[in-house]
Amino acid sequence: MAPPLPTNQAQVNTPISASDQVVVFESVSIRFNGPPVLQDVSFQIGPAETRILLGPAGVGKSVLLKLANGLLRPDSGRIFLFGQEITHMHEEALLQLRMRTGMVFQESALFDSLTVRDNVGYQLVERNLPEEEVSRRVREALQFVELGHTYDLLPASLSGGMRRRVAIARAIIDQPAFLLYDSPTGGLDPVTSHTINELVVKERDVYATPALLVTHRLQDAFTMATHHYDSEQGKMVQLPDGQIDPKTTFLVLHEGRIIFDGSTEALLASEDPFLKEFLA
Amino acid sequence: MQLTLDQLESIAKRQLLAVQEYYLFCWQSVANLFRAPHYIADILTQADLIGVGSLPIVVLTGFFTGGVLALQSAASLAQFGAQAYTGRFVSLSMIRELAPVLTGLMVSGRNASGMASELGSMVVTEQIDAMRALGTDPMKKLVTPRMLSTVVMLFLLTIVADTVGTAGGAFVSVFISGQNGTQYFTSAYQALVWADIAQGLTKPLFFGFLIATVGCYFGMKTTGGTQGVGRATTEAVVVSSVLIIFSDFILSRAMLWLFSGI
Ligand SMILES: Nc1ncnc2c1ncn2[C@@H]1O[C@H](COP(=O)(O)OP(=O)(O)O)[C@@H](O)[C@H]1O
Ligand SMILES: [Mg+2]
């Protein structure tokens, strides 16, 4: 399960496997003021892979996501992003690296003093791109999430589902090389959840962006594993003959540890008592 | 509740750590002035918010403080037959002490709290994390512009308070105490020496820095949801007000020594 640790630190600072992986966690542990939240967590995310992180509420899924993006630092272990070790990377360098990732936060985290346009185009404005180009690309990104009409609105006037979609537009506008979604369907009704799932699958199948997605809704996870985006019909459809997307795999977190790392079939066939109960 | 020695020690350690953290925070906010990117638009927005926004309360407090000084001093100075010195008394008190301190306290109440609650809500709603995830350094984007514009604006507001306070004193002297206006202004003007002005205009630079850094520090360190934002706001106002009064004492002492050698 865990990637082999390099035996000679001086010789190989980056494990061979880390260089072509998008994200590598090596025995990562973290605690706040209390018991450890994550213990000895190791896993990898390969190119064009979508990993779905499952686990009960409060287990540390959001913490793991923030570690992957360098927003939190581990107490021990090593983390690699795009083949570079970020465990102790200087914040300045991390900011540069993070420009290549896109993150959708649990509660959307839109800037409430900015309009939808300025939220979605935030990164482009920061890079001082010309106004017309920002506007054009914001409209494209909003088109992708089907929210073109919200261009001039403030986040406060949007519904929860719309905010989530604006957050997705903000994350994908600059064609990120890695996407992190924190419970994108949390607290939404089934119809809106379906729309969000479709967007995630669309991003996965149209742009093949590797992703780490947190959810506590099994239903959503299995929808993503068994569906694909059909560009001709412009919607998400079930894969024929009960096929399962091989690039979509699972991680299950329980009591601070990864207790499962593998394919959808393996997850369903697991004999682990906790998993069986969790999946029931 | 009984405090054990261990508990006292851990509280002391935590306070010391917070002071150290605040010191680094201040240092970073200053160092960012010399590092790209510079957020000019944010500096101007904040300057407008702090400077123009605080103008009414600074004018009002300045005017009435000058007025009450004239009122109180006229009575006591009259006992010594020294009523002619009212202008001198008012302008000196305003410029050296009252304008910087009162303006500082007003702006602290208005803006240290504003910064703490704004940044605090951004922390608890993960907007700060989102900003970092988008590749922007919140220290550069949020803290440094607030620091710079508070320092500049408090300096200018203090000059406004000096002027309005002296005018308030004149108003009271002429229309209530029935003194001669020319006499008031001559005495006010003659009293002013370079050292007083230097002292009165150095203080707001320090106070402005304190207001912004304390407000932003408590905002950025907010934990514990909406309740935490309320706590951060209160703490920011209390700490910055106390620090203003305390540093006023230290600065007065230092400048007496610097300018008069005493
Ligand atoms: N910044 C933080 N400071 C202190 N404790 C935290 C922090 N972030 C998360 N935690 C704690 O870590 C645990 C896991 O939280 P989280 O990752 O949000 O869970 P979830 O799996 O529901 O996303 C919780 O007990 C939470 O209280
Ligand atoms: Mg969470």
Side-chain angles (χ1 to χ4, degrees):
Chain A
M1 206 163 71
L5 283 172
T7 42
N8 189 339
Q9 290 276 342
Q11 197 188 357
V12 263
N13 214 356
T14 309
I16 318 289
S17 57
S19 55
D20 52 340
Q21 299 288 320
V22 180
V23 170
V24 178
F25 270 54
E26 272 183 17
S27 324
V28 169
S29 303
I30 186 171
R31 70 194 309 158
F32 299 97
N33 313 309
V37 174
L38 296 179
Q39 277 184 79
D40 207 17
V41 166
S42 302
F43 69 92
Q44 318 193 356
I45 302 175
E49 236 185 335
T50 293
R51 308 229 63 185
I52 299 179
L53 178 61
L54 293 171
V59 75
K61 302 183 296 294
S62 300
V63 168
L64 190 147
L65 221 58
K66 286 182 184 171
L67 283 167
N69 211 359
L71 295 172
L72 286 173
R73 309 272 182 167
D75 296 333
S76 63
R78 305 204 293 167
I79 300 171
F80 297 82
L81 179 61
F82 302 131
Q84 298 186 46
E85 179 162 4
I86 61 166
T87 325
H88 304 291
M89 188 182 267
H90 198 268
E91 179 76 13
E92 201 91 352
L94 257 175
L95 288 169
Q96 292 299 317
L97 210 57
R98 285 197 208 107
M99 285 192 190
R100 294 168 54 198
T101 69
M103 186 154 178
V104 178
F105 286 82
Q106 195 159 356
E107 303 294 339
S108 305
L110 298 179
F111 302 122
D112 42 33
S113 57
L114 302 180
T115 60
V116 166
R117 187 258 187 199
D118 290 342
N119 262 289
V120 175
Y122 185 86
Q123 261 186 306
L124 309 182
V125 174
E126 283 291 289
R127 291 217 313 266
N128 295 316
L129 294 187
E131 285 292 304
E132 307 85 68
E133 188 183 343
V134 175
S135 303
R136 181 179 55 77
R137 287 176 60 182
V138 167
R139 286 191 193 283
E140 278 171 19
L142 285 176
Q143 209 70 52
F144 186 87
V145 298
E146 293 160 21
L147 277 181
H149 58 285
T150 61
Y151 191 83
D152 286 317
L153 300 181
L154 280 170
S157 57
L158 303 179
S159 72
M162 287 159 97
R163 290 161 149 266
R164 219 59 73 84
R165 278 145 75 192
V166 171
I168 293 178
R170 179 174 71 177
I172 60 167
I173 190 166
D174 210 21
Q175 271 112 39
F178 175 47
L179 268 165
L180 303 108
Y181 301 95
D182 196 346
S183 316
T185 57
L188 298 181
D189 58 273
V191 178
T192 317
S193 296
H194 179 84
T195 314
I196 305 274
N197 289 339
E198 193 171 63
L199 285 176
V200 174
V201 168
K202 185 170 163 189
E203 179 68 25
R204 177 191 73 190
D205 294 344
V206 175
Y207 298 103
T209 316
L212 177 56
L213 181 139
V214 165
T215 183
H216 51 262
R217 285 166 54 137
L218 285 166
Q219 186 60 43
D220 294 346
F222 290 125
T223 303
M224 284 172 212
T226 55
H227 287 63
H228 79 124
Y229 188 77
D230 188 332
S231 323
E232 270 156 38
Q233 294 184 53
K235 62 176 189 161
M236 178 168 75
V237 294
Q238 188 148 16
L239 287 159
D241 320 321
Q243 282 175 43
I244 291 172
D245 186 272
K247 285 287 197 183
T248 301
T249 54
F250 287 85
L251 292 165
V252 182
L253 206 55
H254 179 50
E255 290 177 349
R257 295 177 187 276
I258 298 271
I259 57 160
F260 177 85
D261 180 347
S263 67
T264 316
E265 293 92 335
L267 179 66
L268 289 171
S270 169
E271 288 298 319
D272 184 284
F274 170 78
L275 278 181
K276 285 191 108 160
E277 195 189 336
F278 187 73
L279 299 177
Chain B
M1 193 183 83
Q2 272 248 284
L3 278 177
T4 66
L5 214 58
D6 273 356
Q7 278 172 317
L8 276 178
E9 191 182 306
S10 94
I11 290 173
K13 264 190 193 148
R14 221 170 329 126
Q15 296 294 341
L16 208 68
L17 258 156
V19 171
Q20 189 185 3
E21 215 177 35
Y22 171 68
Y23 176 79
L24 285 174
F25 186 88
C26 290
W27 165 245
Q28 226 185 345
S29 78
V30 176
N32 283 340
L33 287 173
F34 308 99
R35 289 195 204 125
H38 301 286
Y39 293 95
I40 311 290
D42 294 273
I43 296 175
L44 295 179
T45 311
Q46 288 302 320
D48 181 52
L49 206 75
I50 297 160
V52 182
S54 307
L55 200 58
I57 55 167
V58 168
V59 166
L60 280 175
T61 37
F63 187 85
F64 287 108
T65 308
V68 81
L69 277 178
L71 213 56
Q72 295 280 12
S73 63
S76 7
L77 289 172
Q79 290 181 345
F80 309 105
Q83 224 180 3
Y85 289 111
T86 309
R88 176 194 178 116
F89 182 81
V90 171
S91 72
L92 269 187
S93 316
M94 279 312 286
I95 287 171
R96 272 158 73 149
E97 281 300 330
L98 290 172
V101 172
L102 288 179
T103 310
L105 291 178
M106 286 294 147
V107 172
S108 148
R110 195 173 166 274
N111 296 102
S113 58
M115 290 175 205
S117 64
E118 188 186 357
L119 300 194
S121 339
M122 289 184 77
V123 169
V124 300
T125 55
E126 294 188 313
Q127 289 177 55
I128 299 286
D129 277 339
M131 193 173 265
R132 292 169 66 210
L134 287 163
T136 301
D137 182 354
M139 284 299 289
K140 281 188 189 144
K141 170 93 177 165
L142 301 172
V143 178
T144 300
R146 281 169 175 72
M147 188 276 289
L148 184 63
S149 36
T150 312
V151 168
V152 173
M153 284 299 139
L154 196 65
F155 180 83
L156 298 177
L157 286 171
T158 302
I159 295 178
V160 171
D162 287 336
T163 316
V164 176
T166 310
F171 185 86
V172 167
S173 301
V174 173
F175 294 104
I176 297 179
S177 314
Q179 296 180 29
N180 181 325
T182 317
Q183 187 189 46
Y184 175 92
F185 280 113
T186 313
S187 131
Y189 179 74
Q190 275 173 351
L192 288 181
V193 293
W194 162 240
D196 297 322
I197 298 177
Q199 175 174 163
L201 293 184
T202 311
K203 286 176 178 176
L205 301 179
F206 284 87
F207 298 167
F209 184 77
L210 280 175
I211 291 169
T213 50
V214 168
C216 292
Y217 175 78
F218 279 102
M220 295 291 268
K221 294 293 159 212
T222 303
T223 51
T226 333
Q227 220 180 0
V229 177
R231 205 176 326 116
T233 310
T234 315
E235 281 174 342
V237 176
V238 171
V239 171
S240 64
S241 305
V242 171
L243 282 180
I244 284 174
I245 309 253
F246 173 70
S247 63
D248 180 55
F249 177 80
I250 303 285
L251 286 168
S252 298
R253 188 68 205 84
M255 276 184 275
L256 275 177
W257 174 77
L258 202 67
F259 291 118
S260 332
I262 46 172

